[in-house]
């Protein structure tokens, strides 16, 4: 097999595994911001800026890492929020509603926050009514253990809390007044170490839709680096395994072809050399026979001449 044919075969091999190599490439493999293994896993449609190429994520899903936190920028919030968890199967994201942040998201929620300019919306499948209440600071704080203090909305004389709308202010026997009730997707975890509630806002996305891929146990991503088409493919480990299996099988086939070609060439060369040897042997015998014949004829001619001269 000539060098051109080998090169052509290897080129076809690389092209046949290009899509598998892209989908399962190391640059796009799932990653985390925290080195201790905690925190949300980042995979398509999300990607970590400055660590993964743009084709690893969908526009609007870029996250960054800061002090072990996973941050995502929300244009309408005019800042970054902390991502606590990502559910890829249900296509939902949980962000922390920090009441002490510089751009308090609770103030924006109170004013009527929407997520225009981002691919996210409130998860309407898990929406409840929550009421903001304002209470005088003279009250006993222990009576509001089950509600969340929104420090960024407080003033020197009043504190602001948020509680589920099913709880009524009248039952608290405090100088509290309802401010506003809004529909929000919220969840919370209770941290017994600091006796406080950590509230999360639940968001979802519809584009890109990868639920069909997830239902089949596969991953989802761009078809290639220059395409906006979304395709399903095996996850990183399966993709690499399949890639290596294809490469191994292809290399094995290539070696087999090379071995067969070498064997054919050796066999052909042996037959050709054998034929040349036989032809040379026949020619040598013919030359020898001709030489013997000429010697014999010359001897006969000389003998005839001697007899004639003696007569």
């Amino acid at each position: 097999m000539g060098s051109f044919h080998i090169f052509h075969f290897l080129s076809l091999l690389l092209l046949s595994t290009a899509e598998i190599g892209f989908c399962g490439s190391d640059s796009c493999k799932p990653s985390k911001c925290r080195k201790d293994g905690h925190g949300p896993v980042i995979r398509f449609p999300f990607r970590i800026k400055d660590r993964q190429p743009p084709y690893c994520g969908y526009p609007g899903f870029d996250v960054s890492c800061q002090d072990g936190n996973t941050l995502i920028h929300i244009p309408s919030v005019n800042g970054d929020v902390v991502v606590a968890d990502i559910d890829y199967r249900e296509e939902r994201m949980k962000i922390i509603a920090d009441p002490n942040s510089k751009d308090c998201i609770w103030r924006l929620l109170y004013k009527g926050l929407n997520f225009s300019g981002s691919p996210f919306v409130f998860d309407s499948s898990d929406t409840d009514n929550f009421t903001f209440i304002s209470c005088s600071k003279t009250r006993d704080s222990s009576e509001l253990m089950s509600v969340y203090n929104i420090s960024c909305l407080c003033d020197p004389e009043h504190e602001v809390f948020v509680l589920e709308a099913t709880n009524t202010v009248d039952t608290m026997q405090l100088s509290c007044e309802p401010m506003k009730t809004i529909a929000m997707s919220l969840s919370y975890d209770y941290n017994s170490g600091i006796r406080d509630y950590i509230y999360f806002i639940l968001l979802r996305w519809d584009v890109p839709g990868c639920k069909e891929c997830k239902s089949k146990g596969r991953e989802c991503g761009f078809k290639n680096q220059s395409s906006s088409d979304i395709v399903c493919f095996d996850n990183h480990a399966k993709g690499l395994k399949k890639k290596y299996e294809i490469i191994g099988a292809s290399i094995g086939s290539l070696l087999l072809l090379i071995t067969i070609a070498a064997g054919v060439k050796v066999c052909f060369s042996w037959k050709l050399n054998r034929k040349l040897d036989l032809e040379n042997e026949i020619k040598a015998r013919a030359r020898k026979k001709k030489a013997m014949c000429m010697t014999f004829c010359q001897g006969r001619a000389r003998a005839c001449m001697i007899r004639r001269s003696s007569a």
Side-chain angles (χ1 to χ4, degrees), residues 133-195:
I133 62 172
S134 175
C135 300
S136 171
K137 287 189 176 181
T138 60
R139 52 87 185 124
D140 183 3
S141 61
S142 64
E143 296 185 43
L144 289 176
M145 287 289 292
S146 62
V147 295
Y148 192 48
N149 185 307
I150 310 300
S151 58
C152 66
L153 292 177
C154 299
D155 60 40
E157 297 181 357
H158 299 84
E159 289 186 285
V160 177
F161 300 85
V162 63
L163 71 162
E164 293 184 11
T166 53
N167 296 328
T168 61
V169 179
D170 296 337
T171 60
M172 296 182 181
Q173 299 179 358
L174 298 170
S175 54
C176 297
E177 294 182 358
M179 300 169 63
K180 186 177 184 180
T181 298
I182 61 176
M184 295 187 296
S185 299
L186 289 177
S187 67
Y188 60 87
D189 290 332
Y190 180 68
N191 189 332
S192 59
I194 59 175
R195 299 186 63 79

Side-chain angles (χ1 to χ4, degrees), residues 40-89:
V41 176
I42 304 303
R43 61 163 60 95
F44 189 88
F46 296 86
R47 77 166 181 108
I48 301 177
K49 291 189 300 183
D50 303 325
R51 188 186 297 181
Q52 296 175 317
Y55 56 76
C56 292
Y58 201 81
F61 288 82
D62 291 352
V63 303
S64 58
C65 300
Q66 181 178 334
D67 300 326
N69 292 319
T70 303
L71 306 178
I72 191 166
H73 184 77
I74 303 295
S76 56
V77 177
N78 194 28
D80 297 335
V81 295
V82 177
V83 180
D85 185 50
I86 302 174
D87 186 341
Y88 290 93
R89 183 172 295 277

Side-chain angles (χ1 to χ4, degrees), residues 4 35 76 127 140 270 291 298:
F4 172 77
K35 296 181 180 180
S76 56
T127 300
D140 183 3
W270 181 83
Q298 290 176 357

Side-chain angles (χ1 to χ4, degrees), residues 1-274:
M1 181 180 289
S3 58
F4 172 77
H5 295 89
I6 295 175
F7 175 79
H8 182 66
F9 182 86
L10 291 175
S11 299
L12 293 176
L13 170 62
L14 292 175
L15 288 174
S16 67
T17 60
E19 184 171 322
I20 296 175
F22 167 74
C23 294
S25 64
D26 289 339
S27 60
C28 296
K29 69 180 181 180
S31 184
K32 291 187 176 185
C33 284
R34 295 185 58 169
K35 296 181 180 180
D36 60 5
H38 295 287
V41 176
I42 304 303
R43 61 163 60 95
F44 189 88
F46 296 86
R47 77 166 181 108
I48 301 177
K49 291 189 300 183
D50 303 325
R51 188 186 297 181
Q52 296 175 317
Y55 56 76
C56 292
Y58 201 81
F61 288 82
D62 291 352
V63 303
S64 58
C65 300
Q66 181 178 334
D67 300 326
N69 292 319
T70 303
L71 306 178
I72 191 166
H73 184 77
I74 303 295
S76 56
V77 177
N78 194 28
D80 297 335
V81 295
V82 177
V83 180
D85 185 50
I86 302 174
D87 186 341
Y88 290 93
R89 183 172 295 277
E90 297 299 326
E91 297 183 345
R92 301 200 306 180
M93 177 177 66
K94 183 187 292 186
I95 63 174
I96 296 177
D98 184 0
N100 300 307
S101 64
K102 180 180 179 181
D103 297 310
C104 178
I105 197 170
W106 289 98
R107 182 184 293 111
L108 298 173
L109 287 170
Y110 180 76
K111 292 181 179 179
L113 171 67
N114 62 63
F115 289 88
S116 60
S118 79
F120 307 104
V121 295
F122 281 120
D123 184 11
S124 59
S125 64
D126 195 15
T127 300
D128 293 310
N129 290 326
F130 290 84
T131 300
F132 289 84
I133 62 172
S134 175
C135 300
S136 171
K137 287 189 176 181
T138 60
R139 52 87 185 124
D140 183 3
S141 61
S142 64
E143 296 185 43
L144 289 176
M145 287 289 292
S146 62
V147 295
Y148 192 48
N149 185 307
I150 310 300
S151 58
C152 66
L153 292 177
C154 299
D155 60 40
E157 297 181 357
H158 299 84
E159 289 186 285
V160 177
F161 300 85
V162 63
L163 71 162
E164 293 184 11
T166 53
N167 296 328
T168 61
V169 179
D170 296 337
T171 60
M172 296 182 181
Q173 299 179 358
L174 298 170
S175 54
C176 297
E177 294 182 358
M179 300 169 63
K180 186 177 184 180
T181 298
I182 61 176
M184 295 187 296
S185 299
L186 289 177
S187 67
Y188 60 87
D189 290 332
Y190 180 68
N191 189 332
S192 59
I194 59 175
R195 299 186 63 79
D196 197 4
Y197 283 87
I198 300 176
Y199 273 73
F200 306 97
I201 297 175
L202 302 178
L203 307 177
R204 65 174 175 82
W205 69 89
D206 296 320
V207 179
C210 294
K211 287 185 177 181
E212 183 178 352
C213 296
K214 293 295 181 182
S215 66
K216 298 177 181 178
R218 308 185 74 193
E219 298 297 333
C220 141
F222 290 123
K223 184 176 182 179
N224 54 56
Q225 297 184 18
S226 60
S227 174
S228 59
D229 296 334
I230 304 298
V231 296
C232 299
F233 57 89
D234 292 328
N235 61 32
H236 181 72
K238 290 182 179 179
L240 288 179
K241 181 179 179 182
K242 187 174 182 180
K243 175 182 176 181
Y244 294 142
E245 286 177 351
I246 292 176
I247 292 177
S250 301
I251 291 177
S253 300
L254 174 61
L255 293 176
L256 178 61
L257 289 174
I258 293 175
T259 302
I260 293 174
V264 170
K265 184 176 181 180
V266 170
C267 182
F268 179 78
S269 298
W270 181 83
K271 289 184 177 180
L272 179 62
N273 292 334
R274 178 61 178 168

Side-chain angles (χ1 to χ4, degrees), residues 282-294:
I282 293 172
K283 290 179 180 180
R285 289 179 179 177
R287 287 195 297 268
K288 185 177 181 181
K289 184 176 181 181
K290 183 178 180 181
M292 292 175 62
C293 181
M294 290 179 64

